[in-house]
Amino acid sequence: MGYRVVVAGATGNVGREMLNILAEREFPIDELAVLASSRSTGDMVDFGETGKQYKIQNIEHFDPTGWDMALFAIGSEATKVHAPRFAAAGCTVIDNSSLYRMDPDVPLIVPEVNPEAIDGYKAKNIIANPNCSTAQMVVALKPLHDAAGVKRVVVATYQSVSGAGKEGMDELFEQSRNIFVGDQAEPKKFTKQIAFNVIPHIDSFLDDGYTKEEWKMVVETKKILDPKVKVTATCVRVPVFVGHSEAVNVELERELSAEDAQKILREAPGIMLVDKREDGGYVTPVECVGDYATFVSRVREDVTVENGLAFWCVSDNLRKGAALNAVQIAELLGRRHLKKA
């Protein structure tokens, strides 16, 4: 037997990926409902490559009673309205927005890192999916933390425009085309030109000079991995359509050679180690698109600190950073708590 599953936000980048991944992983579904706002009601969406199509229903009018779980990709404002309604009706919400991530009564889950934390979901019947840049980093940090204890992390991100939704992808495409033909490349979605440029600014600025995106990486890593870990981040938007990259520097409690770190990462769940010290012996965003794995390359020792390591980390942000992680949470929820006879 399978589950009665809702995908809310089915017309967005992440919602479509959720449907693709549910189909690819043959998630046990007895009944599927796809929801969006009123402007998309009645449109049809594909269920991966199964050939099946589903008609979009208006989330405002949908009754979640009797449904097992809902994967939300509808943004914080809509989530604030609908997540409590779904949860109260007995439908467990797996939320991709930032709304509930730091709520102490809501588990923040990356299944390869802290699967046991899901056991606390019944407090609100809501489970939070982390920020895209956090998700891939903690997958890579977890095996190193288990082996040698992560004390401090310094990370610089190179985040694709798909992290800003369809508008971000459209802006990169349009600006690139305009520049080639000599037209103006005025920014709309981003604060500065994104084509052929990088922007050291994602989300709003906080009083301490960090951005909210950088703050998310700090607090979410602590909640998922270990509250004692110190984290500082610089988050940068780059002219890449899909795939986030990160340059990660780690200070460990105990000595761990680059060779031993490579062996540990090679065996770790969710990680693909591609680390040949030669031209092209590493993974870039272009190669990671459409893949489930978090790719790690360029593992090396940092001699400027005691017990230091540095590495390069790449993942498809629409997948592991959002949709895949949500589906993995759904799978974990099913195995541990919603077992069907």
Side-chain angles (χ1 to χ4, degrees):
M1 291 180 67
Y3 303 99
R4 300 185 76 208
V5 178
V6 176
V7 174
T11 57
N13 288 341
V14 174
R16 289 196 303 270
E17 278 300 302
M18 285 175 173
L19 291 169
N20 290 338
I21 293 168
L22 286 167
E24 287 171 13
R25 293 173 75 92
E26 298 182 344
F27 189 84
I29 296 175
D30 278 351
E31 189 174 356
L32 176 66
V34 292
L35 314 180
S37 64
S38 58
R39 64 179 176 271
S40 300
T41 302
D43 292 349
M44 303 298 292
V45 292
D46 294 325
F47 184 48
E49 297 182 359
T50 63
K52 295 180 182 178
Q53 287 192 318
Y54 289 84
K55 184 178 289 187
I56 292 174
Q57 302 178 55
N58 187 343
I59 191 171
E60 301 285 344
H61 304 149
F62 185 79
D63 181 3
T65 305
W67 292 80
D68 294 306
M69 61 180 79
L71 281 62
F72 272 38
I74 56 176
S76 293
E77 289 303 312
T79 296
K80 189 184 298 182
V81 174
H82 297 293
R85 181 169 71 87
F86 276 62
C91 179
T92 302
V93 173
I94 300 169
D95 178 35
N96 195 62
S97 81
S98 62
L99 184 64
Y100 290 103
R101 288 175 188 160
M102 299 317 298
D103 187 321
D105 293 326
V106 174
L108 180 64
I109 303 295
V110 175
E112 297 95 333
V113 180
N114 62 335
E116 68 290 339
I118 202 171
D119 297 343
Y121 85 98
K122 292 180 181 177
K124 287 193 173 177
N125 208 22
I126 298 171
I127 303 164
N129 206 18
N131 189 37
C132 47
S133 49
T134 304
Q136 70 186 67
M137 185 175 76
V138 296
V139 169
L141 290 177
K142 170 65 173 174
L144 302 177
H145 188 51
D146 288 346
V150 173
K151 287 174 57 179
R152 179 173 179 259
V153 180
V154 180
V155 56
T157 71
Y158 307 76
Q159 294 178 228
S160 65
V161 294
S162 57
K166 183 178 182 298
E167 290 178 339
M169 299 177 77
D170 289 346
E171 184 151 318
L172 173 58
F173 176 81
E174 290 166 8
Q175 285 186 356
S176 300
R177 181 183 58 192
N178 288 351
I179 289 168
F180 273 121
V181 299
D183 290 342
Q184 292 293 312
E186 293 296 326
K188 298 174 185 174
K189 176 67 176 178
F190 300 113
T191 56
K192 298 204 175 196
Q193 175 186 313
I194 185 60
F196 309 99
N197 197 19
V198 298
I199 305 172
H201 172 199
I202 301 176
D203 212 325
S204 55
F205 275 97
L206 305 176
D207 290 342
D208 61 3
Y210 284 86
T211 64
K212 194 171 181 182
E213 184 82 357
E214 293 157 353
W215 173 83
K216 289 174 189 175
M217 291 197 75
V218 174
V219 295
E220 292 177 19
T221 300
K222 287 175 175 288
K223 184 172 179 178
I224 297 166
L225 187 66
D226 189 332
K228 296 191 297 293
V229 174
K230 296 179 179 179
V231 183
T232 184
T234 300
C235 293
V236 182
R237 190 72 73 190
V238 298
V240 170
F241 282 105
V242 179
H244 286 358
S245 305
E246 297 170 350
V248 186
N249 184 283
V250 184
E251 187 178 349
L252 302 164
E253 293 175 355
R254 299 177 294 279
E255 184 178 356
L256 185 68
S257 69
E259 184 179 356
D260 286 340
Q262 288 171 321
K263 290 176 183 176
I264 290 165
L265 290 164
R266 189 175 288 115
E267 301 300 321
I271 291 176
M272 181 71 70
L273 182 74
V274 180
D275 194 10
K276 300 174 183 176
R277 294 175 179 178
E278 60 188 42
D279 293 353
Y282 40 80
V283 175
T284 64
V286 169
E287 290 109 51
C288 82
V289 174
D291 207 297
Y292 289 152
T294 295
F295 292 88
V296 177
S297 307
R298 308 234 31 232
V299 180
R300 58 209 188 275
E301 291 162 27
D302 176 5
V303 298
T304 67
V305 294
E306 191 173 1
N307 304 329
L309 287 175
F311 62 88
W312 175 252
C313 172
V314 178
S315 189
D316 183 331
N317 56 294
L318 297 179
R319 293 207 149 206
K320 185 55 188 171
L324 171 61
N325 201 71
V327 174
Q328 288 178 305
I329 291 171
E331 292 169 343
L332 180 64
L333 178 67
R335 287 196 303 271
R336 290 178 79 109
H337 295 285
L338 302 182
K339 295 176 183 176
K340 296 286 185 175

